Amino acid sequence: MAWVIDRQSLVVGLISGAAVTLLLKLWLDRKEKEPNFVDGVDGLIGNTPLMRIRSLSEATGCTVLFLNPGGSAKDRVALNIIRSAEEAGILTPHKGSTVFEGTVGSTGISIAMIARAKGYKAWIVMPDDQAQEKYQFLEKLGATVEKVRPVSIIDKKQFVNLAKTRAEEFGEGEARGYFANQFENDANYQVHYQTTAPEIYRQIGTKLDALVLGAGTGGTLSGLALYLKPRIKELKVFLADPLGSGLFNKVKYNVMYAPTEREGTRKRHQVDTVVEGIGINRLTNNFNMGRHLVDDAFRVTDEEAVKMARFLVREDGLFLGSSSAVNCVAAFRAAKQLGPGHVIVTLLNDSGQRHLTKFWSDEYLEAAGIPYNLQGSEGLDDFIA
């Protein structure tokens, strides 16, 4: 068949084409000028860039990177736990429901923030020996804060067990009590597998040599290891563990035991450390999910963590919380072990602003007998064994 095109058709075609091109350009221009914003507090969580820590990188010859998913690494976990409960039909916003959790602080703050933003109340059960500003922060967010004496997990009044009981006792009609259960809830490690790990991989790819993390619930460590290990065959995963935690010995010797648990040797409640947020004396579902992928462990002392925090303020202007400082001590050790030219990633879990009355309190540290003064010339090798 032969195609016949007259001049009128050609003109109409050209005009139509020009009109479509013009409309497309106007649409694209409008798209470019549209404001780029997220929707609500939960929209701020995720898509966090990696940053090089200059002082640690220059001291080791390695590239030491950190990724901080928000005010706390627990923001992602809290959001996914609540979102998963909504998808399962357990929680419906603005019906009077309350999210309950037992926590040492960071997860509770994240839950209180996201619950408030999404139309729920929060009830947080905590040990009574944590930094005071955590309780204050939770109360300002509108959460109910219940403080209890630190006791063993086998005790019904242990803070996690009590949160579960409170959730079971709460609610009638459409108002439900939901126990977030961060230690055993699969939504914990899954959110790091689905979001945090891919973000790291997109930014660094197979050039990553080591991942260094502490573990409280173990969800971050497991989620990242499960995603990254199969994609980076030579990747080393190191646990960073504070004093009094049994995870170090579990990784090293497959025995869940901390020497400070011997009768009469413990100095402080829960675990024998000033560090909050990581370290535990039981195996959780979340930690177990990725435990087989952990290659080695570093035990970090209180003095090392305290002085690392002060070193990073002095050298990098980074004001970190206690678990973040533990991660950095272990990252330094991993870099020294691997040698120059490697890339190490850790997480800075939280800010020092949540630790002013304990980890960052000279008076508290002096009373606890923990050296904290960092001399002007004191470097990493001077306080890290």
Side-chain angles (χ1 to χ4, degrees):
M1 178 185 295
W3 290 96
V4 179
I5 303 177
D6 59 29
R7 180 177 296 180
Q8 184 179 6
S9 299
L10 180 60
V11 171
V12 171
L14 288 174
I15 292 173
S16 300
V20 170
T21 302
L22 180 60
L23 288 172
L24 180 61
K25 184 178 186 304
L26 289 172
W27 181 79
L28 289 172
D29 287 345
R30 183 181 176 186
K31 288 288 287 184
E32 289 174 3
K33 292 176 183 176
E34 283 180 357
N36 183 20
F37 54 81
V38 297
D39 186 27
V41 167
D42 47 317
L44 294 170
I45 299 170
N47 299 312
T48 310
L50 287 164
M51 189 198 86
R52 177 176 175 266
I53 302 179
R54 291 193 188 98
S55 64
L56 301 187
S57 299
E58 291 166 3
T60 61
C62 293
T63 300
V64 182
L65 303 168
F66 85 82
L67 180 141
N68 183 0
S72 162
K74 297 299 186 180
D75 290 347
R76 299 183 187 225
V77 174
L79 176 59
N80 201 44
I81 285 174
I82 292 174
R83 186 178 283 162
S84 297
E86 289 175 333
E87 291 171 354
I90 299 171
L91 288 176
T92 303
H94 308 293
K95 297 293 184 182
S97 295
T98 296
V99 181
F100 292 79
E101 183 59 301
T103 170
V104 296
S106 289
T107 303
I109 291 169
S110 297
I111 284 175
M113 175 184 69
I114 295 165
R116 169 72 77 172
K118 290 177 71 66
Y120 307 104
K121 295 179 181 178
W123 185 306
I124 307 301
V125 186
M126 294 177 63
D128 62 9
D129 61 348
Q130 302 300 293
Q132 292 301 309
E133 50 270 27
K134 292 183 180 180
Y135 307 123
Q136 295 165 357
F137 197 175
L138 282 162
E139 288 166 353
K140 296 302 181 186
L141 284 168
T144 298
V145 180
E146 184 174 358
K147 303 176 195 175
V148 297
R149 187 180 181 279
V151 292
S152 169
I153 189 67
I154 63 174
D155 193 314
K156 291 182 179 180
K157 293 184 179 180
Q158 192 265 356
F159 64 99
V160 176
N161 295 335
L162 191 56
K164 182 175 185 290
T165 300
R166 295 281 186 259
E168 291 170 345
E169 294 172 344
F170 178 87
E172 57 183 52
E174 292 183 306
R176 296 189 178 185
Y178 178 67
F179 176 44
N181 197 17
Q182 59 166 326
F183 291 90
E184 311 301 331
N185 194 326
D186 285 349
N188 185 340
Y189 86 86
Q190 287 173 354
V191 73
H192 292 296
Y193 182 91
Q194 294 162 358
T195 67
T196 317
E199 288 174 29
I200 293 172
Y201 191 71
R202 281 196 300 269
Q203 294 178 67
I204 202 69
T206 57
K207 294 180 180 178
L208 178 60
D209 297 298
L211 178 69
V212 183
L213 291 173
T217 64
T220 310
L221 182 66
S222 289
L224 297 190
L226 286 165
Y227 184 93
L228 294 170
K229 270 270 194 175
R231 291 165 173 81
I232 309 172
K233 299 302 181 184
E234 301 301 318
L235 178 68
K236 298 293 183 185
V237 177
F238 296 96
L239 170 73
D241 211 34
L243 294 173
S245 173
L247 297 180
F248 172 85
N249 279 328
K250 187 64 179 178
V251 169
K252 297 281 284 188
Y253 313 114
N254 200 30
V255 177
M256 193 69 184
Y257 172 73
T260 49
E261 293 302 292
R262 290 197 301 269
E263 187 70 27
T265 61
R266 180 187 285 184
K267 299 175 185 175
R268 289 174 285 277
H269 292 313
Q270 192 179 7
V271 288
D272 192 34
T273 180
V274 70
V275 174
E276 297 177 0
I278 57 173
I280 194 170
N281 281 311
R282 70 180 192 275
L283 287 177
T284 68
N285 172 61
N286 277 284
F287 184 78
N288 262 335
M289 292 301 298
R291 180 163 62 97
H292 62 289
L293 299 174
V294 181
D295 297 290
D296 205 351
F298 299 109
R299 175 168 281 152
V300 178
T301 68
D302 282 347
E303 180 179 356
E304 289 171 332
V306 165
K307 289 191 172 182
M308 173 60 84
R310 284 147 180 78
F311 176 85
L312 289 170
V313 163
R314 187 185 78 188
E315 300 297 325
D316 298 278
L318 289 171
F319 186 49
L320 306 181
S322 56
S323 59
S324 302
V326 169
N327 282 347
C328 286
V329 171
F332 175 76
R333 285 202 182 131
K336 297 285 279 188
Q337 184 181 112
L338 295 175
H342 292 86
V343 177
I344 294 96
V345 165
T346 189
L347 266 69
L348 305 190
N349 301 313
D350 57 358
S351 165
Q353 294 173 358
R354 297 183 182 181
H355 299 265
L356 295 173
T357 56
K358 195 171 177 183
F359 183 73
W360 275 99
S361 168
D362 293 352
E363 293 78 14
Y364 178 91
L365 295 173
E366 189 168 345
I370 300 169
Y372 60 87
N373 280 323
L374 189 65
Q375 304 303 320
S377 60
E378 195 170 358
L380 294 162
D381 289 316
D382 295 318
F383 63 84
I384 298 179

